[in-house]
């Protein structure tokens, strides 16, 4: 086992986190990394999320219960004002917390940081979606107590969470008290008024803003019959919230109960005369409902209906429904790497996080941290469309449709934003919760106009993969048309000395946030080209094949034939940077004019660069936060030859810092395609463990949801070799030499297919036949029809090129003007000592 390359690079402490392909287990308690484990053991369903805080309430890095889209607003104060700057910030709110169930034995509290633990195990089971914890605690008085608890956020009941705690005295009798609490923690403060370590501290732009004034204004509190209800209104955003809590106790022991509420607290306290071997079990059922303006009283009624239904049906029904939901989820989504249990555990943890971030988002967006933390303020970015939507589109298309409808519902706000920036059409915000731009730093934020094309790209891929043209005709077409109008208006025509006209887009920022406000960013231009082409093609297709829908959209959006011609011409004439001297596609028109940042000789304590260098310093160099051109090579790969992809990848990879978790998965995909297989596998490993091993040092703020989606992309697109260009699904796999087999699942126009890949062959097994059977795909240029019948086996002719060796900075190359490209690390000058005069 010592020669196993995966085990030798395993970044987890396997003494504490043992390998289990279907669970993440912590077998030793530690308070040294509470923030990370609170994220890793969070539970959620896309609407409601609860961090993995301990039941006892104390010892927390960041208390957190979050509801997708529930936010507070605040005025952005710019040091210098300018027209069109974002005016209102938006930050996710830490809603009333119900995880706390304090335990006292002989009036001594159980506090894990000082507890004498004979045994400890906490596990998140990917099959039942329940967080389990089992402890044997020896009290300060020497009495042994077994404490078992569970926590579940329901995938089938959007507004529901269920918690339980079971306590058994093992040797002695003792008075036991359980205080189950509902706490309105203001911005992460605990009941001792201590602000959580993760809330708005330091200068890390990835953290959420901290509120200085009260956020949730009390509107309602009531208790009775083992039920607690609290209601609030957000002070500035006006959003409303209600939380309802039911309690039940199961025991043969004598007990009393005491219930109370005030504006910020609800408590159910059980006092039990515990005897050895006789368990007591307390079940806590919680319902949250929120709205952008529905009165609190109505939301209270909704929580009551949710709780009454659970009370009527029984708790067991909810656990069974949870298991059935996850059984179906894994049937659609599971990816298996045979013989690699450590990787398998990581893969399933990442895929489980995608369920927790998206399952019940239901026409809300997918926040960058899902509902596991407050990082990035709970904002939605373009990450969803590029990294998460492919997974949803090909495994859970209903969830993908929901995410796209969220963007459609933001269209009017995007139209207003375009007007603010003197553009036609619609411009979606770079980061937002409520549809309005929330980025105060426009250079690396609002200037990322590519989000329009990213959304259109995800929309088109979804429609082709699912056959859901109805969504396109009724709503999606509005997005395509309005974003195409923005590009046509933003760009401009330029004529060279030979009379050739080209279409240019200036003053934008691509995905790489270390290079901002540039001309002809390659990623932006190739994605805008796609957007313009698809908008024109779709409208013309509707005119020919869907005349009634065509008439409606023309009337609704006032479309003119001249617009379509303009879009087609602009797409055909789009300026795509290329330098014949270096043989690469420059990231933008001026990219090669800069010096190269020597990352190899940059000290590790200066990483990530954004936390140690002023943006202007970074902007002067050829250095990338994340894949930019390389991402374009993947998304628009049918426009680049394999040789061109290889040349571009080899140039950009050594100057890409990986400071963004969005980068590694894309670099893995292209590295695999062009032949750098070892590098592809290394990038995949680092992406797989981004959060599990806290490789970027900020897992405390929540799961990197886009990276979890990227893991699926790297498996299916990278090693699995799938591509989907112009509605044609092709496969040209790149299975790592150390993997014996890879298995994944795809849903293509309703047909569910299992793909089994080995070094010699690909096997396609149809598990469920869709309405458009058979579905045609291509494997290394050979057409394959997938329908009812026996599995189809395709013999593979190799698995692409193989390139040995490491990539290095390409210094010594010539710029277009003939000057040499050199590399350096910016250093602060030593201050001069001034003499007295």
């Amino acid at each position: 086992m010592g020669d196993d390359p995966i085990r030798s690079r395993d970044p987890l402490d396997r003494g504490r986190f043992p390998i289990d392909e279907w669970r993440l287990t912590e077998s030793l308690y530690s308070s040294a990394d509470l923030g990370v484990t609170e994220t890793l053991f969070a539970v959620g369903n896309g609407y409601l999320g609860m961090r993995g805080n301990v039941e006892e309430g104390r010892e927390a890095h960041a208390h957190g219960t979050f509801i997708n889209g529930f936010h507070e607003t605040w005025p952005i104060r710019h040091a210098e004002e300018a027209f069109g700057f974002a005016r209102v910030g938006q930050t996710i709110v830490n809603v009333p917390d119900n995880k706390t169930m304090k335990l006292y034995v002989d009036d001594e509290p159980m506090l894990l940081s000082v507890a004498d633990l004979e045994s400890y195990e906490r596990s998140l089971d990917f099959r039942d979606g329940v967080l389990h914890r089992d402890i044997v605690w020896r009290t300060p008085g020497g009495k042994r107590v077994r404490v078992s608890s569970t926590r579940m956020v329901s995938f089938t009941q959007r507004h529901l969470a269920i918690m339980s705690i079971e306590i058994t005295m093992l040797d002695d009798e003792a008075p036991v008290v359980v205080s189950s609490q509902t706490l309105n923690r203001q911005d992460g403060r605990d009941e001792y008024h201590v602000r959580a370590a993760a809330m708005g501290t330091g200068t890390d732009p990835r953290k959420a803003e901290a509120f200085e004034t009260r956020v949730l204004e009390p509107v309602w509190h009531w208790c009775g019959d083992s039920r607690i209800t609290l209601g609030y209104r957000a002070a500035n955003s006006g959003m409303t919230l209600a939380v309802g809590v039911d309690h039940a106790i199961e025991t043969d022991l004598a007990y009393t109960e005491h219930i109370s509420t005030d504006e910020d607290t609800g408590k159910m306290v059980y006092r039990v005369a515990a005897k050895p071997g006789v368990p007591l079990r307390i079940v806590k059922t919680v319902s949250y409902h929120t709205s952008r303006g529905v009165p609190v009283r109505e939301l209270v009624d909704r929580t009551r209906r949710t709780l009454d239904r659970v009370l009527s049906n029984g708790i067991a029904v909810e656990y069974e429904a949870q298991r059935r939901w996850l059984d179906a989820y894994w049937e659609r989504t599971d990816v298996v790497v045979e013989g690699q249990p450590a990787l398998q555990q990581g893969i399933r943890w990442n895929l489980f996080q995608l369920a927790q971030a998206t399952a019940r988002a239901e026409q809300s967006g997918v926040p960058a941290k899902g509902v596991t933390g407050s990082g990035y303020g709970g904002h939605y970015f373009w990450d969803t469309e590029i990294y998460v939507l492919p997974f949803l589109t090909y495994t859970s298309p209903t969830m993908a449709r929901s995410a796209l409808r969220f963007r459609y519902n933001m269209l009017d706000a995007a139209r207003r934003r375009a007007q603010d920036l003197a553009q036609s059409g619609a411009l979606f915000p770079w980061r937002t919760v409520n549809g309005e731009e929330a980025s105060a730093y426009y250079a690396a934020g609002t200037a990322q106009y590519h989000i329009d094309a990213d959304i259109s790209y995800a929309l088109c891929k979804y429609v082709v993969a699912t056959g859901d043209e109805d969504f396109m005709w009724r709503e999606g077409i509005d997005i395509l048309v309005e974003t195409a109008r923005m590009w046509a208006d933003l760009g401009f025509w330029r004529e060279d000395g030979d009379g050739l006209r080209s279409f240019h887009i200036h003053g934008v920022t691509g995905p790489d946030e270390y290079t901002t406000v540039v001309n002809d960013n390659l990623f932006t231009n190739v994605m805008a080209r796609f957007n313009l082409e698809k908008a024109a093609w779709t409208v013309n297709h509707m005119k020919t094949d869907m005349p009634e829908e065509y008439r409606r959209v023309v009337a609704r959006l006032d479309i003119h034939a001249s617009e379509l011609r303009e879009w087609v011409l602009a797409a055909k004439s789009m300026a795509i940077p290329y330098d014949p001297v270096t043989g690469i596609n420059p990231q933008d028109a001026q990219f090669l004019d800069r010096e190269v940042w020597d990352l190899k000789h940059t000290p590790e304590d200066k990483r990530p660069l954004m936390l140690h260098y002023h943006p202007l310093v970074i902007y002067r160099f050829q250095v990338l936060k994340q894949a930019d051109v390389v991402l374009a090579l993947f998304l628009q790969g049918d426009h680049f030859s394999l040789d061109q992809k290889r040349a571009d990848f080899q140039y950009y990879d050594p100057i890409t810092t990986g400071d963004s978790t969005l980068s590694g998965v894309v670099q893995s995909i292209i590295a695999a395609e062009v032949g750098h297989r070892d590098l592809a596998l290394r990038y995949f490993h680092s992406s797989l463990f981004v959060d599990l091993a806290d490789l970027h040092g900020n897992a405390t703020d929540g799961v990197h949801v886009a990276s979890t989606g990227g893991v699926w992309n790297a498996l299916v697109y990278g090693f699995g070799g799938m591509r989907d260009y112009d509605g044609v699904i092709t496969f040209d796999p790149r299975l790592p030499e150390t993997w014996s087999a890879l298995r994944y699942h795809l849903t293509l126009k309703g047909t569910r297919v299992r793909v089994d890949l080995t070094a010699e062959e690909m096997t396609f097994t149809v598990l469920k036949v869709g309405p458009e059977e058979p579905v045609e795909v291509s494997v290394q240029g050979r057409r394959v029809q997938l329908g009812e019948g026996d599995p189809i086996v395709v013999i593979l002719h190799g698995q692409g090129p193989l390139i040995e060796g490491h990539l290095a900075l390409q210094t010594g190359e010539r710029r277009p003007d003939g000057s040499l490209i050199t590399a350096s690390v910016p250093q602060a000058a030593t201050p001069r000592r001034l003499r007295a005069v």
Side-chain angles (χ1 to χ4, degrees):
M1 299 293 287
D3 295 330
D4 186 330
I6 303 303
R7 288 185 180 275
S8 66
R9 290 196 291 268
D10 193 333
L12 289 181
D13 175 2
R14 291 305 180 179
R16 183 180 173 203
F17 299 102
I19 295 174
D20 185 325
E21 295 186 1
W22 282 103
R23 296 192 307 165
L24 178 66
T25 298
E26 179 187 37
S27 59
L28 296 171
Y29 175 77
S30 174
S31 59
D33 57 352
L34 281 175
V36 175
T37 56
E38 287 167 4
T39 293
L40 299 185
F41 290 97
V43 290
N45 64 8
Y47 170 75
L48 170 64
M50 295 180 167
R51 284 178 63 78
N53 305 113
V54 297
E55 284 80 349
E56 295 72 45
R58 295 301 301 273
E59 291 298 310
H61 177 83
H63 290 290
T65 299
F66 301 102
I67 293 176
N68 189 354
F70 189 82
H71 69 282
E72 178 63 308
T73 56
W74 44 276
I76 298 175
R77 296 181 176 86
H78 297 277
E80 296 186 18
E81 292 290 348
F83 180 81
F85 277 11
R87 298 296 175 192
V88 181
Q90 307 142 38
T91 302
I92 196 168
V93 173
N94 209 330
V95 302
D97 187 13
N98 275 287
K99 298 187 295 294
T100 299
M101 300 173 77
K102 294 185 176 182
L103 171 62
Y104 302 83
V105 176
D106 281 334
D107 295 329
E108 297 293 337
M110 187 175 79
L111 300 175
L112 292 190
S113 58
V114 295
D116 181 0
L117 300 177
E118 290 191 2
S119 66
Y120 172 92
E121 182 180 278
R122 176 169 59 162
S123 64
L124 180 60
D125 194 307
F126 312 143
R127 289 167 297 193
D128 64 19
V130 178
L131 178 65
H132 304 260
R133 193 185 72 173
D134 294 285
I135 294 172
V136 174
W137 168 43
R138 186 181 293 272
T139 72
K143 297 179 180 180
R144 296 167 63 243
V145 190
R146 172 170 285 116
V147 184
S148 300
S149 60
T150 65
R151 185 182 302 163
M152 180 186 83
V153 174
S154 173
F155 286 114
T156 60
Q157 300 284 339
R158 187 178 190 230
H159 302 275
L160 179 67
I162 301 173
M163 288 150 277
S164 72
I165 186 168
E166 183 172 301
I167 301 137
T168 307
M169 300 299 301
L170 297 181
D171 307 309
D172 299 280
E173 63 181 29
V176 170
V177 175
V178 176
S179 177
S180 176
Q181 303 181 2
T182 302
L183 298 170
N184 177 29
R185 294 187 169 100
Q186 286 296 302
D187 195 21
R189 291 181 176 89
D190 66 16
E191 61 271 38
Y192 301 95
H193 304 287
V194 175
R195 186 184 294 275
M199 298 299 296
T201 57
T203 59
D204 191 336
R206 299 167 295 190
K207 292 186 180 292
E209 299 79 9
F211 295 111
E212 298 300 328
T213 58
R214 185 176 181 100
V215 175
L216 295 180
E217 298 175 340
V219 177
W220 172 279
H221 67 92
W222 174 90
C223 65
D225 299 325
S226 300
R227 179 171 291 181
I228 295 167
T229 55
L230 300 173
Y232 298 90
R233 179 185 180 277
N236 296 320
S237 71
M239 294 195 73
T240 49
L241 172 148
V243 55
V245 187
D246 270 355
H247 289 87
I249 184 169
E250 303 166 9
T251 186
D252 292 328
L253 299 166
Y255 69 90
T256 62
E257 60 184 48
H258 306 267
I259 191 168
S260 63
T261 60
D262 59 30
E263 289 183 340
D264 287 317
T265 308
K267 288 187 180 181
M268 172 63 86
V269 179
Y270 291 99
R271 300 172 182 172
V272 184
K275 297 179 181 180
V278 183
L280 68 98
R281 182 170 184 259
I282 298 167
V283 177
K284 185 176 187 179
T285 309
V286 183
S287 175
Y288 291 88
H289 283 264
T290 56
S291 172
R292 293 189 180 275
V294 168
V296 168
R297 179 55 190 266
E298 181 176 333
L299 296 183
V300 169
D301 290 341
R302 294 180 188 178
T303 67
R304 286 173 172 165
R305 289 195 290 270
T306 301
L307 294 176
D308 287 346
R309 183 168 57 249
V310 176
L311 192 62
S312 174
N313 296 336
I315 296 296
V317 170
E318 304 304 333
Y319 284 102
E320 291 166 3
Q322 183 89 338
R323 181 59 185 250
R324 287 196 302 272
W325 192 96
L326 280 166
D327 285 345
Y329 176 78
W330 290 115
E331 286 175 4
R332 303 190 309 269
T333 66
D334 197 18
V335 180
V336 177
V337 178
E338 288 190 3
Q340 303 284 357
L343 291 187
Q344 192 63 62
Q345 180 186 42
I347 290 167
R348 288 196 174 117
W349 182 87
N350 277 269
L351 297 182
F352 184 70
Q353 297 310 313
L354 287 165
Q356 295 203 133
T358 64
R360 303 308 302 269
E362 295 181 4
Q363 298 180 35
S364 292
V366 180
K369 298 294 185 180
V371 283
T372 64
S374 61
Y376 292 112
H379 292 167
Y380 317 125
F381 293 79
W382 63 281
D383 311 5
T384 300
E385 281 71 28
I386 297 302
Y387 292 86
V388 178
L389 259 295
F391 165 77
L392 297 179
T393 293
Y394 287 107
T395 65
S396 306
T398 301
M399 298 182 198
R401 191 180 195 275
S402 175
L404 289 166
R405 287 214 74 245
F406 162 74
R407 290 299 192 182
Y408 171 76
N409 291 334
M410 291 174 59
L411 189 56
D412 283 343
R415 290 181 174 118
R416 293 193 298 271
R417 188 59 179 158
Q419 292 175 358
D420 287 344
L421 275 75
Q423 304 295 162
S424 300
L427 178 59
F428 286 91
W430 177 63
R431 62 187 295 176
T432 189
V433 177
N434 61 14
E436 305 296 336
E437 177 64 79
S439 173
Y441 186 55
Y442 72 88
T446 300
Q448 293 198 43
Y449 284 65
H450 65 84
I451 189 171
D452 266 23
D454 303 335
I455 293 169
S456 297
Y457 174 89
L459 167 66
C460 292
K461 294 292 184 181
Y462 163 79
V463 171
V464 170
T466 63
D468 186 7
E469 293 191 338
D470 177 69
F471 177 68
M472 177 65 85
W473 309 150
R474 292 191 299 106
E475 297 176 340
I477 187 61
D478 295 46
I479 294 176
L480 271 186
V481 167
E482 295 290 46
T483 52
R485 284 171 168 165
M486 192 283 298
W487 293 119
D489 185 45
L490 178 66
F492 65 96
W493 291 94
R494 175 175 289 172
E495 186 172 312
D496 64 15
D498 297 325
L500 295 175
R501 300 176 73 218
S502 55
F503 193 78
H504 297 260
I505 298 173
H506 284 188
V508 298
T509 298
D512 170 35
E513 294 161 22
Y514 284 176
T515 312
T516 66
V517 193
V518 297
N519 297 340
D520 289 328
N521 169 257
L522 181 133
F523 178 88
T524 302
N525 284 20
V526 298
M527 293 297 285
R529 177 176 64 187
F530 175 91
N531 197 162
L532 289 161
E533 286 177 344
K534 290 302 180 183
W537 182 90
T538 304
V539 174
N540 284 325
H541 172 61
M542 293 176 69
K543 182 178 181 179
T544 303
D545 295 345
M546 310 292 292
E548 185 59 33
E549 285 79 359
Y550 171 77
R551 284 191 289 272
R552 289 174 185 160
V553 74
V554 166
R556 183 170 70 247
L557 300 179
D558 191 23
I559 300 173
H560 298 276
S562 60
E563 285 188 287
L564 305 186
R565 291 192 294 271
E566 180 185 13
W567 299 346
V568 171
L569 287 174
K572 287 182 178 179
S573 305
M574 186 68 68
I576 306 299
Y578 176 74
D579 174 39
V581 177
T582 60
I584 68 161
N585 294 104
Q587 186 167 298
D588 58 72
Q590 292 82 37
F591 188 78
L592 295 182
D593 295 340
R594 305 179 181 93
E595 294 300 317
V596 174
W597 191 303
D598 190 349
L599 289 177
K600 182 179 180 180
H601 294 99
T602 301
E604 284 300 317
D605 62 3
K606 294 295 185 181
R607 304 285 192 95
L609 303 187
M610 62 184 176
L611 300 185
H612 298 91
Y613 296 91
H614 191 283
L616 287 177
V617 175
I618 298 174
Y619 295 164
R620 296 186 183 110
F621 284 80
Q622 291 185 45
V623 62
L624 281 64
K625 180 183 178 187
Q626 62 207 67
D628 195 302
V629 170
V630 173
L631 180 57
L633 301 178
F634 166 47
L635 300 182
Q636 295 291 287
D638 52 336
H639 291 277
F640 299 88
S641 69
L642 183 63
D643 288 341
Q644 187 62 59
K645 292 177 186 178
R646 183 180 299 113
D648 285 345
F649 178 79
Q650 291 176 343
Y651 186 90
Y652 287 104
D653 193 73
I655 59 174
T656 303
T657 64
D659 288 349
S660 169
T661 59
L662 302 181
S663 197
V665 289
V666 174
Q667 288 167 281
S668 177
I669 292 169
I670 297 301
E673 181 178 3
V674 302
H676 291 282
R677 297 189 189 178
D678 288 344
L679 187 56
L681 197 55
R682 288 202 298 274
Y683 276 129
F684 173 73
H685 289 163
S686 64
S687 299
L688 185 68
F689 291 102
V690 158
D691 290 316
L692 285 167
D694 193 23
L695 298 183
H696 282 241
N698 65 339
T700 58
D701 303 327
V703 170
H704 292 85
V705 173
S707 181
T708 66
V711 165
W712 183 89
N713 290 337
L715 288 163
V716 173
Y717 286 113
F719 304 130
M722 188 180 87
R723 292 294 186 272
D724 48 354
Y725 300 130
D726 290 329
V728 178
I729 307 295
T730 65
F731 296 89
D732 190 6
R734 302 288 193 268
L735 186 71
E737 292 181 355
T738 54
W739 295 7
S740 61
L742 171 67
R743 180 168 69 248
Y744 56 94
H745 298 78
L746 298 170
T747 300
L748 306 172
K749 295 186 177 179
T751 294
R752 188 182 308 153
V753 182
R754 188 183 73 223
V755 182
D756 290 271
L757 171 65
T758 67
E760 295 79 25
E761 62 188 31
M762 292 190 82
T763 302
F764 298 88
T765 305
V766 173
L767 304 176
K768 177 186 175 183
V769 176
E772 296 188 29
E773 188 232 0
V775 173
E776 185 172 277
V777 300
S778 173
V779 181
Q780 294 183 335
R782 288 163 286 173
R783 291 183 178 181
V784 178
Q785 289 194 333
L786 307 178
E788 284 190 296
D790 295 332
I792 298 173
V793 179
V794 181
I795 304 301
L796 298 174
H797 302 313
Q799 296 213 8
L802 176 61
I803 301 174
E804 304 288 351
H806 300 284
L807 296 177
L809 282 175
Q810 299 187 29
T811 54
E813 297 278 354
R814 296 283 178 177
R815 296 188 180 84
D817 64 3
S819 60
L820 283 174
I821 296 175
T822 60
S824 63
V825 179
Q827 303 287 341
T830 303
R832 291 185 177 182
R833 181 172 297 175
L834 301 179
R835 290 187 304 165
V837 178

